Amino acid sequence: MVKMIINRNTMKLESIKVILQSKFHLSFPILINDEGKLYVYPENSEKGELIIYEYNYEKDELINPVTIMKKPLIDAQIVKIGNAFFLFAVEHVNGLWEETRCLGIYMANSLMGEYKLIQKIENPKNYE
């Protein structure tokens, strides 16, 4: 995963820096602020875990990785509502997109907390 800085006036790329390397595919990085800290969690369904990293401004790097879900989640979104954190994601089942038919909604009391499934929403569409 790379951090790019683009000049808004000239639209030119000013810098590019690798801030996270993995042997697994990383995509769809999401930024979230919590208690004055910035966190990043890229989609990493290939590894089968959702890992969140703290961004260190001084070192310009991602630190303190925490696995918050041991499932192959696709394009997870975490939203804070009141004092709770809700994670919305589709689980990649058996490595097949055709079997990905269910949105899971999980809840935790903290960003790094233990997320528990609270609801599943099935997609009745027939993919075959």
Side-chain angles (χ1 to χ4, degrees), residues 35-75:
E35 297 184 10
K37 294 182 179 179
L38 179 64
Y39 297 91
V40 179
Y41 59 97
E43 189 267 295
N44 193 8
S45 63
E46 184 181 14
K47 186 175 182 181
E49 298 178 338
L50 180 60
I51 301 171
I52 191 165
Y53 303 84
E54 181 183 341
Y55 178 70
N56 182 306
Y57 288 94
E58 293 173 4
K59 294 181 179 179
D60 193 24
E61 64 184 19
L62 298 175
I63 61 171
N64 303 327
V66 174
T67 300
I68 58 173
M69 186 77 69
K70 289 192 178 229
K71 289 185 175 193
L73 301 179
I74 300 169
D75 299 342

Side-chain angles (χ1 to χ4, degrees), residues 72 74 89-104 119-128:
I74 300 169
V90 173
E91 187 173 346
H92 198 191
V93 180
N94 298 327
L96 301 172
W97 291 106
E98 299 83 27
E99 294 187 28
T100 304
R101 300 182 182 176
C102 184
L103 173 69
Q119 185 176 356
K120 281 188 175 185
I121 301 173
E122 298 285 337
N123 181 354
K125 182 176 178 181
N126 183 355
Y127 290 94
E128 299 172 24

